[in-house]
Amino acid sequence: MTNIKQAYTPSKIVESGLFFSIPLYQRLFEWGEEQIIQLLDDLYSSYKRDKESAYYIGMLTVKRTERSIELVDGQQRFTAMILLGIYFKWNNFLYVSTNPNILRLQFTAREEDKEYLAARIEGEECAFINEKMENGLNYISKHLKKILPNESDEDFKKYIFEKLTFFLSELPGNYSPMELN
């Protein structure tokens, strides 16, 4: 597996082929309108100030497993990135593989959330709706239309894909789920 002790962007995740999961002990996605708008406003301010500089979203704490990289801390921010990927149609970021379709973000024991994300990516209906993620997508859409009223979103979309930067801090492999929680 790739060395994860470096800075990452959505673009770098694609290049590195990293695969993430949210373990069962993690809470559900909880970001609301305030957090989504704050992230978008911060990104947009950074973009307007200097399109070449990175925007740092912080540190994600992870634990490597045989199958994936578990998000121990930072899943709210990472899920927000996934929602941005859905909005911008970054299928290469959303999927590790498209044959078969393997989502880059998996949920341990939350099959409905996985099915919901897959349906949203494909623009299909889903019997289960994750209300918080659905609201997050709506906040993203509404706010980007507000802050980008007369501009193409292509440059801003590219900025986020290449400059939304975070670091991964890897925990030792011998931590138990209780210690991680």
Side-chain angles (χ1 to χ4, degrees):
M1 193 180 269
T2 306
N3 176 7
I4 62 173
K5 294 177 178 150
Q6 54 187 306
Y8 282 92
T9 63
S11 174
K12 183 90 169 182
I13 288 174
V14 171
E15 289 172 24
S16 302
L18 297 179
F19 177 79
F20 296 86
S21 65
I22 297 175
L24 182 60
Y25 57 81
Q26 285 289 353
R27 66 185 175 137
L28 301 172
F29 180 70
E30 292 295 327
W31 271 18
E33 186 172 19
E34 182 180 340
Q35 292 87 0
I36 297 284
I37 288 174
Q38 183 68 56
L39 174 62
L40 293 173
D41 285 346
D42 289 350
L43 279 164
Y44 191 66
S45 293
S46 180
Y47 165 76
K48 287 306 241 182
R49 189 173 41 257
D50 183 358
K51 293 175 178 69
E52 299 305 314
S53 292
Y55 172 80
Y56 294 98
I57 196 170
M59 181 80 65
L60 305 182
T61 304
V62 300
K63 179 185 174 200
R64 188 187 306 257
T65 69
E66 288 180 24
R67 290 181 272 144
S68 69
I69 297 171
E70 287 185 349
L71 291 164
V72 176
D73 182 52
Q75 77 109 336
Q76 301 296 314
R77 288 168 283 159
F78 195 84
T79 303
M81 279 190 276
I82 292 292
L83 296 178
L84 283 166
I86 292 171
Y87 177 81
F88 288 125
K89 298 181 181 2
W90 292 335
N91 284 356
N92 60 343
F93 172 68
L94 298 168
Y95 292 114
V96 175
S97 168
T98 55
N99 189 18
N101 285 348
I102 299 172
L103 294 174
R104 190 167 306 280
L105 179 62
Q106 298 289 317
F107 298 87
T108 304
R110 292 188 189 149
E111 193 63 30
E112 289 179 325
D113 286 335
K114 177 183 169 186
E115 290 171 7
Y116 167 78
L117 280 181
R120 290 299 291 162
I121 291 166
E122 296 300 323
E124 298 171 354
E125 293 295 317
C126 184
F128 172 77
I129 296 177
N130 181 309
E131 196 171 310
K132 294 282 188 170
M133 288 186 202
E134 188 72 19
N135 287 342
L137 284 166
N138 290 331
Y139 301 144
I140 289 168
S141 176
K142 182 176 138 187
H143 199 64
L144 286 179
K145 287 176 183 164
K146 179 181 173 186
I147 63 176
L148 300 168
N150 299 318
E151 294 181 35
S152 163
D153 63 0
E154 289 303 311
D155 286 342
F156 188 51
K157 174 180 167 179
K158 181 179 177 193
Y159 174 79
I160 295 172
F161 192 69
E162 295 176 356
K163 302 298 182 179
L164 175 59
T165 305
F166 60 93
F167 296 90
L168 296 177
S169 174
E170 187 174 354
L171 295 174
N174 61 350
Y175 277 39
S176 71
M178 182 179 254
E179 291 170 309
L180 295 170
N181 192 18

